[in-house]
């Protein structure tokens, strides 16, 4: 029963984390498009608050995910090739999350040099990664 609670919490925190990393790049799109100092100032506040709000969800997703891996055991982990690929995608997402801090700093100091088109594409990266992770976790293909 405990394992089901851990799995539920892992999913809940993952959903909350993804909500943030879906929305933050959308704010970057708006920020890259604006010429208004007032709008830029408001977006800086929103971006900072959002990223710092969802970072604990990213950490808790990791904590409960590792708990699940440990609970299932090393034999299960070694036999689950789909999990290795999933974890590579998860590592990529944590890198994406970290890169958002760099982009946040660029906007904060008015150093952004990227277009709104870049951020529109950047916004799709976690969506596509989520699709791959969910398919791997549900289908559990063996490679």
């Amino acid at each position: 029963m405990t394992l089901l609670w851990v799995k539920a919490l892992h999913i809940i925190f993952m959903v909350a984390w993804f909500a943030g990393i879906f929305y933050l790049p959308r704010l970057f799109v708006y920020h890259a498009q604006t010429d208004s100092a007032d709008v830029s100032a408001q977006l800086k506040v929103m971006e900072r608050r959002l990223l710092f709000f969802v970072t604990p969800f990213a950490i808790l997703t990791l904590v409960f995910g590792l708990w699940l891996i440990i609970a299932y055991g090393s034999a299960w982990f070694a036999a689950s090739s789909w999990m290795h690929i999933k974890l590579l995608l998860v590592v990529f997402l944590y890198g994406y999350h970290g890169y958002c801090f760099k982009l946040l700093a660029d906007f904060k100091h008015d150093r952004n040099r990227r277009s709104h088109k870049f951020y529109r594409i950047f916004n799709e990266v976690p969506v596509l990664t989520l699709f791959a992770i969910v398919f791997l976790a549900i289908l559990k293909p063996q490679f």
Side-chain angles (χ1 to χ4, degrees), residues 84-119:
H84 301 145
I85 297 168
K86 177 189 171 208
L87 289 177
L88 284 174
L89 293 170
V90 169
V91 167
F92 170 76
L93 282 173
Y94 280 97
Y96 180 96
H97 186 102
Y99 187 63
C100 285
F101 278 98
K102 186 252 187 251
L103 297 173
L104 181 76
D106 287 347
F107 279 113
K108 176 183 177 182
H109 299 294
D110 298 316
R111 294 187 308 234
N112 176 56
R113 301 293 176 247
R114 300 188 184 276
S115 73
H116 66 93
K117 291 179 184 177
F118 167 82
Y119 292 109

PDB file of all heavy atoms in Angstrom, residues 84-119:
ATOM      1  N   HIS A  84      15.762   2.900 -18.287  1.00  0.00           N
ATOM      2  CA  HIS A  84      17.031   3.579 -18.541  1.00  0.00           C
ATOM      3  C   HIS A  84      16.828   4.720 -19.529  1.00  0.00           C
ATOM      4  O   HIS A  84      17.381   5.813 -19.343  1.00  0.00           O
ATOM      5  CB  HIS A  84      18.074   2.579 -19.040  1.00  0.00           C
ATOM      6  CG  HIS A  84      18.326   1.474 -18.072  1.00  0.00           C
ATOM      7  ND1 HIS A  84      18.599   0.197 -18.470  1.00  0.00           N
ATOM      8  CD2 HIS A  84      18.323   1.445 -16.720  1.00  0.00           C
ATOM      9  CE1 HIS A  84      18.768  -0.575 -17.408  1.00  0.00           C
ATOM     10  NE2 HIS A  84      18.592   0.162 -16.336  1.00  0.00           N
ATOM     11  N   ILE A  85      16.036   4.476 -20.550  1.00  0.00           N
ATOM     12  CA  ILE A  85      15.746   5.525 -21.537  1.00  0.00           C
ATOM     13  C   ILE A  85      14.911   6.626 -20.887  1.00  0.00           C
ATOM     14  O   ILE A  85      15.163   7.820 -21.090  1.00  0.00           O
ATOM     15  CB  ILE A  85      15.039   4.934 -22.772  1.00  0.00           C
ATOM     16  CG1 ILE A  85      15.964   3.941 -23.475  1.00  0.00           C
ATOM     17  CG2 ILE A  85      14.602   6.040 -23.730  1.00  0.00           C
ATOM     18  CD1 ILE A  85      15.291   3.087 -24.510  1.00  0.00           C
ATOM     19  N   LYS A  86      13.930   6.216 -20.105  1.00  0.00           N
ATOM     20  CA  LYS A  86      13.095   7.203 -19.397  1.00  0.00           C
ATOM     21  C   LYS A  86      13.961   8.086 -18.512  1.00  0.00           C
ATOM     22  O   LYS A  86      13.789   9.312 -18.478  1.00  0.00           O
ATOM     23  CB  LYS A  86      12.028   6.486 -18.557  1.00  0.00           C
ATOM     24  CG  LYS A  86      11.180   7.446 -17.747  1.00  0.00           C
ATOM     25  CD  LYS A  86      10.280   6.703 -16.764  1.00  0.00           C
ATOM     26  CE  LYS A  86       9.638   7.721 -15.839  1.00  0.00           C
ATOM     27  NZ  LYS A  86       9.309   7.188 -14.553  1.00  0.00           N
ATOM     28  N   LEU A  87      14.890   7.498 -17.792  1.00  0.00           N
ATOM     29  CA  LEU A  87      15.747   8.276 -16.905  1.00  0.00           C
ATOM     30  C   LEU A  87      16.655   9.233 -17.674  1.00  0.00           C
ATOM     31  O   LEU A  87      16.934  10.339 -17.200  1.00  0.00           O
ATOM     32  CB  LEU A  87      16.561   7.361 -15.998  1.00  0.00           C
ATOM     33  CG  LEU A  87      15.751   6.648 -14.925  1.00  0.00           C
ATOM     34  CD1 LEU A  87      16.641   5.704 -14.123  1.00  0.00           C
ATOM     35  CD2 LEU A  87      15.052   7.634 -14.008  1.00  0.00           C
ATOM     36  N   LEU A  88      17.106   8.836 -18.852  1.00  0.00           N
ATOM     37  CA  LEU A  88      17.872   9.767 -19.690  1.00  0.00           C
ATOM     38  C   LEU A  88      17.021  10.983 -20.068  1.00  0.00           C
ATOM     39  O   LEU A  88      17.502  12.124 -20.044  1.00  0.00           O
ATOM     40  CB  LEU A  88      18.377   9.071 -20.954  1.00  0.00           C
ATOM     41  CG  LEU A  88      19.568   8.152 -20.785  1.00  0.00           C
ATOM     42  CD1 LEU A  88      19.860   7.410 -22.091  1.00  0.00           C
ATOM     43  CD2 LEU A  88      20.784   8.928 -20.328  1.00  0.00           C
ATOM     44  N   LEU A  89      15.755  10.734 -20.387  1.00  0.00           N
ATOM     45  CA  LEU A  89      14.846  11.839 -20.702  1.00  0.00           C
ATOM     46  C   LEU A  89      14.585  12.708 -19.473  1.00  0.00           C
ATOM     47  O   LEU A  89      14.497  13.939 -19.579  1.00  0.00           O
ATOM     48  CB  LEU A  89      13.538  11.297 -21.276  1.00  0.00           C
ATOM     49  CG  LEU A  89      13.641  10.632 -22.646  1.00  0.00           C
ATOM     50  CD1 LEU A  89      12.344   9.928 -23.006  1.00  0.00           C
ATOM     51  CD2 LEU A  89      14.023  11.654 -23.702  1.00  0.00           C
ATOM     52  N   VAL A  90      14.490  12.075 -18.324  1.00  0.00           N
ATOM     53  CA  VAL A  90      14.283  12.824 -17.081  1.00  0.00           C
ATOM     54  C   VAL A  90      15.506  13.692 -16.775  1.00  0.00           C
ATOM     55  O   VAL A  90      15.360  14.865 -16.404  1.00  0.00           O
ATOM     56  CB  VAL A  90      13.953  11.863 -15.917  1.00  0.00           C
ATOM     57  CG1 VAL A  90      14.007  12.575 -14.577  1.00  0.00           C
ATOM     58  CG2 VAL A  90      12.598  11.214 -16.134  1.00  0.00           C
ATOM     59  N   VAL A  91      16.699  13.156 -16.952  1.00  0.00           N
ATOM     60  CA  VAL A  91      17.921  13.943 -16.760  1.00  0.00           C
ATOM     61  C   VAL A  91      17.909  15.137 -17.715  1.00  0.00           C
ATOM     62  O   VAL A  91      18.247  16.265 -17.322  1.00  0.00           O
ATOM     63  CB  VAL A  91      19.180  13.071 -16.955  1.00  0.00           C
ATOM     64  CG1 VAL A  91      20.438  13.923 -17.070  1.00  0.00           C
ATOM     65  CG2 VAL A  91      19.314  12.075 -15.818  1.00  0.00           C
ATOM     66  N   PHE A  92      17.505  14.894 -18.950  1.00  0.00           N
ATOM     67  CA  PHE A  92      17.386  15.979 -19.921  1.00  0.00           C
ATOM     68  C   PHE A  92      16.416  17.056 -19.418  1.00  0.00           C
ATOM     69  O   PHE A  92      16.688  18.252 -19.521  1.00  0.00           O
ATOM     70  CB  PHE A  92      16.917  15.430 -21.280  1.00  0.00           C
ATOM     71  CG  PHE A  92      16.547  16.495 -22.259  1.00  0.00           C
ATOM     72  CD1 PHE A  92      17.528  17.225 -22.912  1.00  0.00           C
ATOM     73  CD2 PHE A  92      15.214  16.777 -22.520  1.00  0.00           C
ATOM     74  CE1 PHE A  92      17.185  18.227 -23.809  1.00  0.00           C
ATOM     75  CE2 PHE A  92      14.862  17.770 -23.412  1.00  0.00           C
ATOM     76  CZ  PHE A  92      15.852  18.500 -24.062  1.00  0.00           C
ATOM     77  N   LEU A  93      15.283  16.636 -18.843  1.00  0.00           N
ATOM     78  CA  LEU A  93      14.303  17.602 -18.326  1.00  0.00           C
ATOM     79  C   LEU A  93      14.852  18.418 -17.165  1.00  0.00           C
ATOM     80  O   LEU A  93      14.556  19.613 -17.048  1.00  0.00           O
ATOM     81  CB  LEU A  93      13.023  16.885 -17.891  1.00  0.00           C
ATOM     82  CG  LEU A  93      12.086  16.490 -19.005  1.00  0.00           C
ATOM     83  CD1 LEU A  93      10.952  15.635 -18.454  1.00  0.00           C
ATOM     84  CD2 LEU A  93      11.524  17.721 -19.701  1.00  0.00           C
ATOM     85  N   TYR A  94      15.637  17.794 -16.309  1.00  0.00           N
ATOM     86  CA  TYR A  94      16.257  18.563 -15.224  1.00  0.00           C
ATOM     87  C   TYR A  94      17.266  19.562 -15.795  1.00  0.00           C
ATOM     88  O   TYR A  94      17.402  20.674 -15.271  1.00  0.00           O
ATOM     89  CB  TYR A  94      16.880  17.647 -14.174  1.00  0.00           C
ATOM     90  CG  TYR A  94      15.835  17.096 -13.230  1.00  0.00           C
ATOM     91  CD1 TYR A  94      15.287  15.830 -13.417  1.00  0.00           C
ATOM     92  CD2 TYR A  94      15.354  17.867 -12.186  1.00  0.00           C
ATOM     93  CE1 TYR A  94      14.312  15.343 -12.571  1.00  0.00           C
ATOM     94  CE2 TYR A  94      14.362  17.392 -11.328  1.00  0.00           C
ATOM     95  CZ  TYR A  94      13.851  16.131 -11.533  1.00  0.00           C
ATOM     96  OH  TYR A  94      12.867  15.657 -10.703  1.00  0.00           O
ATOM     97  N   GLY A  95      17.948  19.191 -16.856  1.00  0.00           N
ATOM     98  CA  GLY A  95      18.824  20.147 -17.543  1.00  0.00           C
ATOM     99  C   GLY A  95      18.024  21.294 -18.147  1.00  0.00           C
ATOM    100  O   GLY A  95      18.431  22.462 -18.065  1.00  0.00           O
ATOM    101  N   TYR A  96      16.890  20.963 -18.737  1.00  0.00           N
ATOM    102  CA  TYR A  96      15.976  21.974 -19.295  1.00  0.00           C
ATOM    103  C   TYR A  96      15.525  22.924 -18.188  1.00  0.00           C
ATOM    104  O   TYR A  96      15.546  24.145 -18.351  1.00  0.00           O
ATOM    105  CB  TYR A  96      14.775  21.259 -19.921  1.00  0.00           C
ATOM    106  CG  TYR A  96      13.732  22.146 -20.548  1.00  0.00           C
ATOM    107  CD1 TYR A  96      13.757  22.411 -21.913  1.00  0.00           C
ATOM    108  CD2 TYR A  96      12.701  22.695 -19.792  1.00  0.00           C
ATOM    109  CE1 TYR A  96      12.783  23.206 -22.498  1.00  0.00           C
ATOM    110  CE2 TYR A  96      11.734  23.499 -20.366  1.00  0.00           C
ATOM    111  CZ  TYR A  96      11.776  23.747 -21.723  1.00  0.00           C
ATOM    112  OH  TYR A  96      10.815  24.545 -22.299  1.00  0.00           O
ATOM    113  N   HIS A  97      15.143  22.351 -17.062  1.00  0.00           N
ATOM    114  CA  HIS A  97      14.708  23.145 -15.919  1.00  0.00           C
ATOM    115  C   HIS A  97      15.839  24.077 -15.465  1.00  0.00           C
ATOM    116  O   HIS A  97      15.616  25.266 -15.217  1.00  0.00           O
ATOM    117  CB  HIS A  97      14.285  22.211 -14.781  1.00  0.00           C
ATOM    118  CG  HIS A  97      13.681  22.897 -13.611  1.00  0.00           C
ATOM    119  ND1 HIS A  97      12.332  22.921 -13.384  1.00  0.00           N
ATOM    120  CD2 HIS A  97      14.238  23.590 -12.580  1.00  0.00           C
ATOM    121  CE1 HIS A  97      12.078  23.600 -12.276  1.00  0.00           C
ATOM    122  NE2 HIS A  97      13.230  24.008 -11.764  1.00  0.00           N
ATOM    123  N   GLY A  98      17.033  23.549 -15.371  1.00  0.00           N
ATOM    124  CA  GLY A  98      18.186  24.367 -14.986  1.00  0.00           C
ATOM    125  C   GLY A  98      18.466  25.469 -15.988  1.00  0.00           C
ATOM    126  O   GLY A  98      18.793  26.602 -15.610  1.00  0.00           O
ATOM    127  N   TYR A  99      18.323  25.155 -17.271  1.00  0.00           N
ATOM    128  CA  TYR A  99      18.539  26.161 -18.316  1.00  0.00           C
ATOM    129  C   TYR A  99      17.511  27.290 -18.210  1.00  0.00           C
ATOM    130  O   TYR A  99      17.816  28.432 -18.530  1.00  0.00           O
ATOM    131  CB  TYR A  99      18.481  25.501 -19.697  1.00  0.00           C
ATOM    132  CG  TYR A  99      18.850  26.429 -20.824  1.00  0.00           C
ATOM    133  CD1 TYR A  99      20.123  26.974 -20.908  1.00  0.00           C
ATOM    134  CD2 TYR A  99      17.932  26.748 -21.816  1.00  0.00           C
ATOM    135  CE1 TYR A  99      20.468  27.828 -21.949  1.00  0.00           C
ATOM    136  CE2 TYR A  99      18.262  27.595 -22.858  1.00  0.00           C
ATOM    137  CZ  TYR A  99      19.539  28.132 -22.915  1.00  0.00           C
ATOM    138  OH  TYR A  99      19.875  28.981 -23.942  1.00  0.00           O
ATOM    139  N   CYS A 100      16.331  26.974 -17.709  1.00  0.00           N
ATOM    140  CA  CYS A 100      15.315  28.019 -17.499  1.00  0.00           C
ATOM    141  C   CYS A 100      15.805  29.063 -16.502  1.00  0.00           C
ATOM    142  O   CYS A 100      15.467  30.247 -16.627  1.00  0.00           O
ATOM    143  CB  CYS A 100      13.997  27.402 -17.043  1.00  0.00           C
ATOM    144  SG  CYS A 100      13.089  26.569 -18.360  1.00  0.00           S
ATOM    145  N   PHE A 101      16.613  28.650 -15.523  1.00  0.00           N
ATOM    146  CA  PHE A 101      17.188  29.611 -14.579  1.00  0.00           C
ATOM    147  C   PHE A 101      18.131  30.576 -15.313  1.00  0.00           C
ATOM    148  O   PHE A 101      18.170  31.767 -15.007  1.00  0.00           O
ATOM    149  CB  PHE A 101      17.947  28.899 -13.456  1.00  0.00           C
ATOM    150  CG  PHE A 101      17.069  28.404 -12.348  1.00  0.00           C
ATOM    151  CD1 PHE A 101      16.658  27.088 -12.316  1.00  0.00           C
ATOM    152  CD2 PHE A 101      16.656  29.262 -11.339  1.00  0.00           C
ATOM    153  CE1 PHE A 101      15.854  26.621 -11.292  1.00  0.00           C
ATOM    154  CE2 PHE A 101      15.843  28.804 -10.308  1.00  0.00           C
ATOM    155  CZ  PHE A 101      15.435  27.478 -10.286  1.00  0.00           C
ATOM    156  N   LYS A 102      18.893  30.058 -16.267  1.00  0.00           N
ATOM    157  CA  LYS A 102      19.790  30.905 -17.056  1.00  0.00           C
ATOM    158  C   LYS A 102      18.977  31.896 -17.884  1.00  0.00           C
ATOM    159  O   LYS A 102      19.294  33.092 -17.951  1.00  0.00           O
ATOM    160  CB  LYS A 102      20.682  30.038 -17.939  1.00  0.00           C
ATOM    161  CG  LYS A 102      21.752  30.819 -18.680  1.00  0.00           C
ATOM    162  CD  LYS A 102      21.415  30.902 -20.161  1.00  0.00           C
ATOM    163  CE  LYS A 102      22.550  31.518 -20.947  1.00  0.00           C
ATOM    164  NZ  LYS A 102      22.246  32.852 -21.438  1.00  0.00           N
ATOM    165  N   LEU A 103      17.899  31.415 -18.520  1.00  0.00           N
ATOM    166  CA  LEU A 103      17.053  32.298 -19.315  1.00  0.00           C
ATOM    167  C   LEU A 103      16.380  33.342 -18.438  1.00  0.00           C
ATOM    168  O   LEU A 103      16.252  34.510 -18.832  1.00  0.00           O
ATOM    169  CB  LEU A 103      16.015  31.479 -20.090  1.00  0.00           C
ATOM    170  CG  LEU A 103      16.582  30.508 -21.124  1.00  0.00           C
ATOM    171  CD1 LEU A 103      15.477  29.628 -21.691  1.00  0.00           C
ATOM    172  CD2 LEU A 103      17.313  31.259 -22.219  1.00  0.00           C
ATOM    173  N   LEU A 104      15.961  32.927 -17.256  1.00  0.00           N
ATOM    174  CA  LEU A 104      15.361  33.852 -16.298  1.00  0.00           C
ATOM    175  C   LEU A 104      16.344  34.974 -15.955  1.00  0.00           C
ATOM    176  O   LEU A 104      15.966  36.158 -15.930  1.00  0.00           O
ATOM    177  CB  LEU A 104      14.954  33.092 -15.035  1.00  0.00           C
ATOM    178  CG  LEU A 104      14.293  33.885 -13.928  1.00  0.00           C
ATOM    179  CD1 LEU A 104      12.843  34.196 -14.305  1.00  0.00           C
ATOM    180  CD2 LEU A 104      14.347  33.121 -12.629  1.00  0.00           C
ATOM    181  N   ALA A 105      17.590  34.620 -15.725  1.00  0.00           N
ATOM    182  CA  ALA A 105      18.615  35.628 -15.414  1.00  0.00           C
ATOM    183  C   ALA A 105      18.845  36.562 -16.600  1.00  0.00           C
ATOM    184  O   ALA A 105      19.023  37.770 -16.419  1.00  0.00           O
ATOM    185  CB  ALA A 105      19.922  34.944 -15.010  1.00  0.00           C
ATOM    186  N   ASP A 106      18.824  36.004 -17.809  1.00  0.00           N
ATOM    187  CA  ASP A 106      18.982  36.851 -19.009  1.00  0.00           C
ATOM    188  C   ASP A 106      17.867  37.890 -19.088  1.00  0.00           C
ATOM    189  O   ASP A 106      18.129  39.065 -19.356  1.00  0.00           O
ATOM    190  CB  ASP A 106      18.996  36.003 -20.278  1.00  0.00           C
ATOM    191  CG  ASP A 106      20.283  35.216 -20.444  1.00  0.00           C
ATOM    192  OD1 ASP A 106      21.264  35.495 -19.715  1.00  0.00           O
ATOM    193  OD2 ASP A 106      20.304  34.314 -21.303  1.00  0.00           O
ATOM    194  N   PHE A 107      16.639  37.464 -18.867  1.00  0.00           N
ATOM    195  CA  PHE A 107      15.524  38.411 -18.896  1.00  0.00           C
ATOM    196  C   PHE A 107      15.627  39.410 -17.740  1.00  0.00           C
ATOM    197  O   PHE A 107      15.384  40.601 -17.921  1.00  0.00           O
ATOM    198  CB  PHE A 107      14.176  37.688 -18.851  1.00  0.00           C
ATOM    199  CG  PHE A 107      13.721  37.161 -20.181  1.00  0.00           C
ATOM    200  CD1 PHE A 107      13.623  35.807 -20.415  1.00  0.00           C
ATOM    201  CD2 PHE A 107      13.373  38.033 -21.205  1.00  0.00           C
ATOM    202  CE1 PHE A 107      13.191  35.313 -21.644  1.00  0.00           C
ATOM    203  CE2 PHE A 107      12.943  37.561 -22.443  1.00  0.00           C
ATOM    204  CZ  PHE A 107      12.855  36.201 -22.658  1.00  0.00           C
ATOM    205  N   LYS A 108      15.990  38.915 -16.576  1.00  0.00           N
ATOM    206  CA  LYS A 108      16.095  39.780 -15.390  1.00  0.00           C
ATOM    207  C   LYS A 108      17.060  40.944 -15.634  1.00  0.00           C
ATOM    208  O   LYS A 108      16.808  42.072 -15.239  1.00  0.00           O
ATOM    209  CB  LYS A 108      16.557  38.964 -14.182  1.00  0.00           C
ATOM    210  CG  LYS A 108      16.789  39.783 -12.933  1.00  0.00           C
ATOM    211  CD  LYS A 108      17.303  38.930 -11.793  1.00  0.00           C
ATOM    212  CE  LYS A 108      17.606  39.781 -10.582  1.00  0.00           C
ATOM    213  NZ  LYS A 108      18.140  38.978  -9.483  1.00  0.00           N
ATOM    214  N   HIS A 109      18.173  40.644 -16.309  1.00  0.00           N
ATOM    215  CA  HIS A 109      19.203  41.658 -16.562  1.00  0.00           C
ATOM    216  C   HIS A 109      19.101  42.247 -17.965  1.00  0.00           C
ATOM    217  O   HIS A 109      20.063  42.867 -18.435  1.00  0.00           O
ATOM    218  CB  HIS A 109      20.588  41.049 -16.336  1.00  0.00           C
ATOM    219  CG  HIS A 109      20.790  40.554 -14.936  1.00  0.00           C
ATOM    220  ND1 HIS A 109      20.836  41.386 -13.841  1.00  0.00           N
ATOM    221  CD2 HIS A 109      20.921  39.293 -14.449  1.00  0.00           C
ATOM    222  CE1 HIS A 109      21.002  40.675 -12.746  1.00  0.00           C
ATOM    223  NE2 HIS A 109      21.049  39.398 -13.077  1.00  0.00           N
ATOM    224  N   ASP A 110      17.956  42.049 -18.612  1.00  0.00           N
ATOM    225  CA  ASP A 110      17.696  42.583 -19.963  1.00  0.00           C
ATOM    226  C   ASP A 110      18.783  42.175 -20.957  1.00  0.00           C
ATOM    227  O   ASP A 110      19.213  42.966 -21.796  1.00  0.00           O
ATOM    228  CB  ASP A 110      17.542  44.109 -19.912  1.00  0.00           C
ATOM    229  CG  ASP A 110      16.366  44.535 -19.050  1.00  0.00           C
ATOM    230  OD1 ASP A 110      15.293  43.914 -19.173  1.00  0.00           O
ATOM    231  OD2 ASP A 110      16.522  45.477 -18.245  1.00  0.00           O
ATOM    232  N   ARG A 111      19.208  40.905 -20.864  1.00  0.00           N
ATOM    233  CA  ARG A 111      20.235  40.379 -21.765  1.00  0.00           C
ATOM    234  C   ARG A 111      19.673  39.385 -22.781  1.00  0.00           C
ATOM    235  O   ARG A 111      20.450  38.733 -23.480  1.00  0.00           O
ATOM    236  CB  ARG A 111      21.323  39.666 -20.958  1.00  0.00           C
ATOM    237  CG  ARG A 111      22.137  40.554 -20.057  1.00  0.00           C
ATOM    238  CD  ARG A 111      23.287  39.781 -19.443  1.00  0.00           C
ATOM    239  NE  ARG A 111      22.836  38.551 -18.816  1.00  0.00           N
ATOM    240  CZ  ARG A 111      23.088  38.202 -17.567  1.00  0.00           C
ATOM    241  NH1 ARG A 111      23.804  38.978 -16.795  1.00  0.00           N
ATOM    242  NH2 ARG A 111      22.652  37.056 -17.082  1.00  0.00           N
ATOM    243  N   ASN A 112      18.367  39.228 -22.829  1.00  0.00           N
ATOM    244  CA  ASN A 112      17.807  38.247 -23.766  1.00  0.00           C
ATOM    245  C   ASN A 112      18.103  38.664 -25.198  1.00  0.00           C
ATOM    246  O   ASN A 112      17.865  39.800 -25.595  1.00  0.00           O
ATOM    247  CB  ASN A 112      16.297  38.108 -23.580  1.00  0.00           C
ATOM    248  CG  ASN A 112      15.714  37.166 -24.609  1.00  0.00           C
ATOM    249  OD1 ASN A 112      16.135  36.028 -24.722  1.00  0.00           O
ATOM    250  ND2 ASN A 112      14.765  37.663 -25.388  1.00  0.00           N
ATOM    251  N   ARG A 113      18.618  37.731 -25.973  1.00  0.00           N
ATOM    252  CA  ARG A 113      18.916  37.981 -27.390  1.00  0.00           C
ATOM    253  C   ARG A 113      18.151  37.013 -28.291  1.00  0.00           C
ATOM    254  O   ARG A 113      18.351  37.007 -29.491  1.00  0.00           O
ATOM    255  CB  ARG A 113      20.417  37.838 -27.650  1.00  0.00           C
ATOM    256  CG  ARG A 113      21.276  38.782 -26.834  1.00  0.00           C
ATOM    257  CD  ARG A 113      21.057  40.236 -27.235  1.00  0.00           C
ATOM    258  NE  ARG A 113      21.821  41.119 -26.374  1.00  0.00           N
ATOM    259  CZ  ARG A 113      21.268  41.968 -25.523  1.00  0.00           C
ATOM    260  NH1 ARG A 113      19.967  42.060 -25.406  1.00  0.00           N
ATOM    261  NH2 ARG A 113      22.023  42.741 -24.771  1.00  0.00           N
ATOM    262  N   ARG A 114      17.274  36.237 -27.710  1.00  0.00           N
ATOM    263  CA  ARG A 114      16.527  35.244 -28.491  1.00  0.00           C
ATOM    264  C   ARG A 114      15.153  35.793 -28.853  1.00  0.00           C
ATOM    265  O   ARG A 114      14.569  36.578 -28.119  1.00  0.00           O
ATOM    266  CB  ARG A 114      16.399  33.951 -27.711  1.00  0.00           C
ATOM    267  CG  ARG A 114      17.754  33.340 -27.365  1.00  0.00           C
ATOM    268  CD  ARG A 114      17.582  31.978 -26.769  1.00  0.00           C
ATOM    269  NE  ARG A 114      18.823  31.403 -26.333  1.00  0.00           N
ATOM    270  CZ  ARG A 114      19.665  30.740 -27.115  1.00  0.00           C
ATOM    271  NH1 ARG A 114      19.410  30.594 -28.389  1.00  0.00           N
ATOM    272  NH2 ARG A 114      20.763  30.225 -26.621  1.00  0.00           N
ATOM    273  N   SER A 115      14.656  35.303 -29.969  1.00  0.00           N
ATOM    274  CA  SER A 115      13.356  35.769 -30.462  1.00  0.00           C
ATOM    275  C   SER A 115      12.219  34.991 -29.817  1.00  0.00           C
ATOM    276  O   SER A 115      12.424  33.916 -29.229  1.00  0.00           O
ATOM    277  CB  SER A 115      13.274  35.592 -31.981  1.00  0.00           C
ATOM    278  OG  SER A 115      13.138  34.219 -32.297  1.00  0.00           O
ATOM    279  N   HIS A 116      11.025  35.511 -29.979  1.00  0.00           N
ATOM    280  CA  HIS A 116       9.840  34.805 -29.483  1.00  0.00           C
ATOM    281  C   HIS A 116       9.678  33.478 -30.210  1.00  0.00           C
ATOM    282  O   HIS A 116       9.147  32.517 -29.649  1.00  0.00           O
ATOM    283  CB  HIS A 116       8.580  35.672 -29.618  1.00  0.00           C
ATOM    284  CG  HIS A 116       8.195  35.957 -31.026  1.00  0.00           C
ATOM    285  ND1 HIS A 116       7.297  35.182 -31.712  1.00  0.00           N
ATOM    286  CD2 HIS A 116       8.588  36.936 -31.885  1.00  0.00           C
ATOM    287  CE1 HIS A 116       7.141  35.660 -32.933  1.00  0.00           C
ATOM    288  NE2 HIS A 116       7.911  36.728 -33.070  1.00  0.00           N
ATOM    289  N   LYS A 117      10.177  33.380 -31.441  1.00  0.00           N
ATOM    290  CA  LYS A 117      10.090  32.114 -32.191  1.00  0.00           C
ATOM    291  C   LYS A 117      10.944  31.030 -31.510  1.00  0.00           C
ATOM    292  O   LYS A 117      10.535  29.872 -31.448  1.00  0.00           O
ATOM    293  CB  LYS A 117      10.521  32.308 -33.633  1.00  0.00           C
ATOM    294  CG  LYS A 117       9.547  33.145 -34.430  1.00  0.00           C
ATOM    295  CD  LYS A 117      10.015  33.342 -35.849  1.00  0.00           C
ATOM    296  CE  LYS A 117       9.056  34.263 -36.575  1.00  0.00           C
ATOM    297  NZ  LYS A 117       9.513  34.542 -37.934  1.00  0.00           N
ATOM    298  N   PHE A 118      12.109  31.406 -31.027  1.00  0.00           N
ATOM    299  CA  PHE A 118      12.937  30.446 -30.296  1.00  0.00           C
ATOM    300  C   PHE A 118      12.166  29.905 -29.098  1.00  0.00           C
ATOM    301  O   PHE A 118      12.145  28.694 -28.856  1.00  0.00           O
ATOM    302  CB  PHE A 118      14.240  31.103 -29.817  1.00  0.00           C
ATOM    303  CG  PHE A 118      14.985  30.269 -28.808  1.00  0.00           C
ATOM    304  CD1 PHE A 118      15.812  29.236 -29.223  1.00  0.00           C
ATOM    305  CD2 PHE A 118      14.847  30.498 -27.444  1.00  0.00           C
ATOM    306  CE1 PHE A 118      16.492  28.454 -28.295  1.00  0.00           C
ATOM    307  CE2 PHE A 118      15.512  29.717 -26.505  1.00  0.00           C
ATOM    308  CZ  PHE A 118      16.337  28.695 -26.932  1.00  0.00           C
ATOM    309  N   TYR A 119      11.537  30.811 -28.350  1.00  0.00           N
ATOM    310  CA  TYR A 119      10.818  30.386 -27.153  1.00  0.00           C
ATOM    311  C   TYR A 119       9.571  29.573 -27.485  1.00  0.00           C
ATOM    312  O   TYR A 119       9.171  28.718 -26.696  1.00  0.00           O
ATOM    313  CB  TYR A 119      10.490  31.589 -26.258  1.00  0.00           C
ATOM    314  CG  TYR A 119      11.743  32.182 -25.673  1.00  0.00           C
ATOM    315  CD1 TYR A 119      12.222  33.411 -26.096  1.00  0.00           C
ATOM    316  CD2 TYR A 119      12.473  31.487 -24.722  1.00  0.00           C
ATOM    317  CE1 TYR A 119      13.386  33.937 -25.573  1.00  0.00           C
ATOM    318  CE2 TYR A 119      13.648  32.003 -24.198  1.00  0.00           C
ATOM    319  CZ  TYR A 119      14.103  33.229 -24.626  1.00  0.00           C
ATOM    320  OH  TYR A 119      15.260  33.737 -24.115  1.00  0.00           O
TER     321      TYR A 119
END
